[in-house]
């Protein structure tokens, strides 16, 4: 069962929606104002949210969510994919709470005392084990009984046939088929100028039959409409509010390696908008994304510039384990990276091999392990 805390007509739900709107607005401003980004947004997301004092404010805010838990059994296994649901569940008296922490950069923001803290990487584990930099004075770190490194949080459907997905990727590379690039417009809809530059750069490749471009606009139809004005050559196959048709289309892509052109995806339903990326990842060759939650997914990735200082460490992790490019902070650098990946296909083949190695090591098993922890089963 999915308990969507933001969907209720309740005080706590309104708090989440207001906070989310503020965060999205600030993210968009940060991409337009260098001064705001340098002096406000980057420091807040990196050092501001790291402080233990910031956690105290969130702990009080999350108490507003407690009424939603009134009729839920206290001992039901519960996995929180954000710290507010974790804190709220603890305040409500729930006893089997797993706090699945998505960021690689350790922050006080993500602390939920009383929950099991599940992290994806060794870097995050060390940060929470020591709590270095969370306060001016040294703090006791999180004990092992409340902290586990479990691996990356990946959906089952993306793992169940991953080796064959990589075989199909390598076959497309070896046989000169169009390379499939999946571009995602993030939750805040920020970074428009970067998307504009990338699409303009890739259109000649599309015309030559070297690239197939999927663009998931999420629920940001305005970004698509603006691109239509700024890119007169943007002629795309449209999947707007047609989740069923998109699902059918994605299913055919496993066998059809000659698909070409540009495909625009949008859905006003936020859940279907986000999930469209899941449908297209297994049948794509490169995922273009900022280094946020998608930074840990098992597909070769090209990283755009981060939005918020905490995302820097998602890009560093992907670069170090070998399934991603380094972060490309400018329009020029990301277009140069496209050229390298499209001309030297051995890079993408190497990333596919690396992903297979990581899967064999259990690197992507974090979601499975969270379920085991919540159900109090032995690892």
């Amino acid at each position: 069962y999915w308990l969507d805390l933001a969907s209720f007509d309740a005080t706590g739900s309104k708090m989440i929606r207001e906070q989310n709107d503020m965060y999205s607005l600030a993210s968009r401003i940060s991409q337009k104002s260098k001064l705001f980004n340098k002096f406000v947004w980057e420091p807040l997301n990196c050092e501001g949210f790291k402080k233990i004092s910031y956690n105290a404010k969130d702990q009080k805010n999350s108490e507003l969510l407690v009424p939603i838990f009134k009729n839920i059994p206290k001992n039901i296994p519960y996995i929180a994919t954000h710290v507010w649901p974790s804190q709220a569940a603890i305040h409500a008296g729930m006893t089997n709470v797993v706090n699945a922490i998505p960021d690689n950069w350790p922050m006080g923001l993500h602390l939920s005392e009383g929950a099991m803290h599940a992290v994806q990487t060794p870097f995050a584990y060390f940060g929470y084990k020591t709590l270095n930099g969370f306060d001016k004075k040294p703090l006791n770190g999180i004990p092992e009984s409340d902290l586990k490194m479990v691996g990356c949080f990946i959906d089952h459907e993306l793992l169940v046939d991953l080796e064959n997905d990589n075989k199909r990727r390598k076959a497309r590379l070896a046989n000169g088929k169009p390379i499939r690039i999946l571009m995602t417009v993030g939750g805040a809809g920020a970074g428009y100028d970067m998307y504009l530059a990338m699409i303009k750069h890739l259109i000649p490749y599309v015309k030559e039959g070297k690239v197939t471009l999927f663009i998931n606009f999420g629920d940001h139809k305005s970004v698509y409409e603006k691109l239509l004005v700024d890119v007169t050559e943007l002629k795309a196959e449209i999947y707007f509010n047609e989740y069923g048709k998109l699902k059918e289309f994605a299913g055919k892509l496993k066998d059809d390696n000659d698909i070409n052109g540009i495909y625009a995806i949008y859905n006003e339903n936020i859940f279907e908008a986000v999930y469209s990326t899941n449908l297209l990842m297994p049948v794509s060759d490169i995922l273009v994304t900022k280094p946020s939650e998608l930074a840990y997914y098992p597909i070769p990735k090209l990283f755009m510039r981060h939005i918020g200082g905490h995302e820097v460490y998602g890009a560093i992790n992907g670069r170090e384990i070998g399934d991603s490019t380094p972060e490309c902070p400018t329009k020029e650098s990301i277009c140069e990276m496209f050229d390298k990946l499209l001309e030297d296909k051995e890079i993408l083949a190497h990333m596919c091999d690396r992903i297979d190695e990581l899967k064999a090591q259990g690197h992507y098993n974090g979601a499975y392990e969270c379920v085991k922890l919540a159900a109090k089963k032995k690892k």
Side-chain angles (χ1 to χ4, degrees):
Y1 293 89
W2 186 348
L3 178 62
D4 177 22
L5 293 178
S7 66
F8 294 91
D9 183 19
T11 301
S13 302
K14 293 173 184 176
M15 180 269 293
I16 290 177
R17 294 195 294 268
E18 287 291 328
Q19 294 273 66
N20 188 51
D21 288 345
M22 288 172 59
Y23 188 89
S24 295
L25 175 61
S27 292
R28 293 192 296 273
I29 293 173
S30 73
Q31 299 305 291
K32 298 176 181 178
S33 170
K34 291 183 178 179
L35 288 176
F36 177 81
N37 190 54
K38 180 177 180 179
F39 293 107
V40 178
W41 200 233
E42 289 277 329
L44 177 62
N45 275 275
C46 192
E47 296 301 330
F49 290 161
K50 188 178 183 72
K51 301 303 180 186
I52 196 82
S53 55
Y54 192 92
N55 179 262
K57 301 170 187 175
D58 270 1
Q59 287 281 3
K60 293 302 295 181
N61 277 342
S62 65
E63 291 178 9
L64 297 171
L65 294 160
V66 168
I68 298 172
F69 292 81
K70 182 178 179 181
N71 296 313
I72 298 177
K74 302 304 181 192
N75 63 346
I76 193 171
Y78 178 95
I79 301 171
T81 56
H82 188 277
V83 70
W84 296 341
S86 179
Q87 292 168 350
I90 294 295
H91 289 314
M94 299 191 73
T95 55
N96 296 334
V97 179
V98 173
N99 177 25
I101 299 174
D103 280 310
N104 198 27
W105 175 243
M107 295 187 284
L109 169 75
H110 290 304
L111 296 176
S112 178
E113 189 172 359
M116 170 64 73
H117 295 71
V119 297
Q120 300 186 93
T121 69
F123 181 77
Y125 172 85
F126 184 83
Y128 290 106
K129 197 76 178 70
T130 61
L131 298 184
N132 279 346
F134 281 54
D135 195 34
K136 293 179 180 178
K137 60 183 180 181
L139 299 171
N140 293 326
I142 300 177
E144 189 71 14
S145 58
D146 294 333
L147 176 66
K148 300 293 179 187
M149 190 187 81
V150 296
C152 297
F153 308 135
I154 308 299
D155 312 66
H156 168 72
E157 69 206 34
L158 299 178
L159 293 178
V160 68
D161 200 33
L162 179 58
E163 292 86 351
N164 286 325
D165 291 338
N166 278 328
K167 285 180 183 177
R168 285 185 280 266
R169 287 177 181 126
K170 291 172 68 176
R172 284 192 289 271
L173 293 170
N175 296 325
K177 300 298 182 181
I179 293 177
R180 300 169 176 181
I181 297 175
L182 172 58
M183 201 174 288
T184 60
V185 177
Y192 176 80
D193 289 344
M194 186 74 90
Y195 290 112
L196 178 62
M198 289 190 292
I199 292 168
K200 282 185 174 180
H201 187 76
L202 289 172
I203 282 177
Y205 283 106
V206 174
K207 289 181 175 179
E208 294 170 14
K210 295 180 178 179
V211 162
T212 300
L213 182 58
F214 307 123
I215 312 172
N216 183 9
F217 291 92
D219 60 341
H220 300 289
K221 191 176 181 181
S222 60
V223 178
Y224 170 75
E225 291 169 342
K226 191 174 181 182
L227 279 169
L228 282 180
V229 175
D230 293 337
V231 187
T232 55
E233 297 175 282
L234 185 62
K235 295 179 176 62
E237 183 81 20
I238 306 295
Y239 287 90
F240 279 11
N241 295 318
E242 293 182 317
Y243 180 77
K245 287 185 179 180
L246 178 65
K247 192 172 184 179
E248 184 180 342
F249 170 69
K252 294 178 180 177
L253 286 174
K254 288 200 172 186
D255 300 317
D256 185 356
N257 286 316
D258 292 312
I259 192 90
N260 201 357
I262 300 174
Y263 297 81
I265 299 100
Y266 158 83
N267 206 303
E268 62 188 1
N269 180 311
I270 184 63
F271 301 105
E272 293 179 354
V274 171
Y275 207 76
S276 295
T277 295
N278 271 40
L279 295 178
L280 292 168
M281 265 194 283
V283 293
S284 298
D285 301 316
I286 304 172
L287 174 66
V288 181
T289 180
K290 66 189 183 73
S292 54
E293 287 82 1
L294 288 173
Y296 307 91
Y297 275 64
I299 177 175
K301 293 173 290 292
L302 194 167
F303 283 137
M304 300 167 58
R305 189 186 189 283
H306 66 273
I307 300 177
H310 61 298
E311 291 183 350
V312 170
Y313 297 86
I316 291 173
N317 178 74
R319 180 185 68 193
E320 292 299 317
I321 65 173
D323 68 353
S324 312
T325 71
E327 184 178 342
C328 299
T330 65
K331 292 178 280 189
E332 293 76 18
S333 63
I334 205 163
C335 290
E336 287 174 9
M337 188 61 70
F338 273 126
D339 293 339
K340 284 185 171 67
L341 296 177
L342 295 173
E343 291 167 8
D344 186 352
K345 297 177 182 179
E346 291 177 359
I347 300 173
L348 291 176
H350 181 270
M351 287 184 182
C352 290
D353 290 338
R354 185 69 185 121
I355 289 168
D356 284 341
E357 292 171 2
L358 290 167
K359 188 193 174 186
Q361 296 167 11
H363 180 79
Y364 301 114
N365 286 353
Y368 299 131
E369 297 301 329
C370 281
V371 173
K372 291 177 185 178
L373 287 172
K376 294 192 177 297
K377 293 189 176 182
K378 291 183 179 179
K379 190 170 181 179

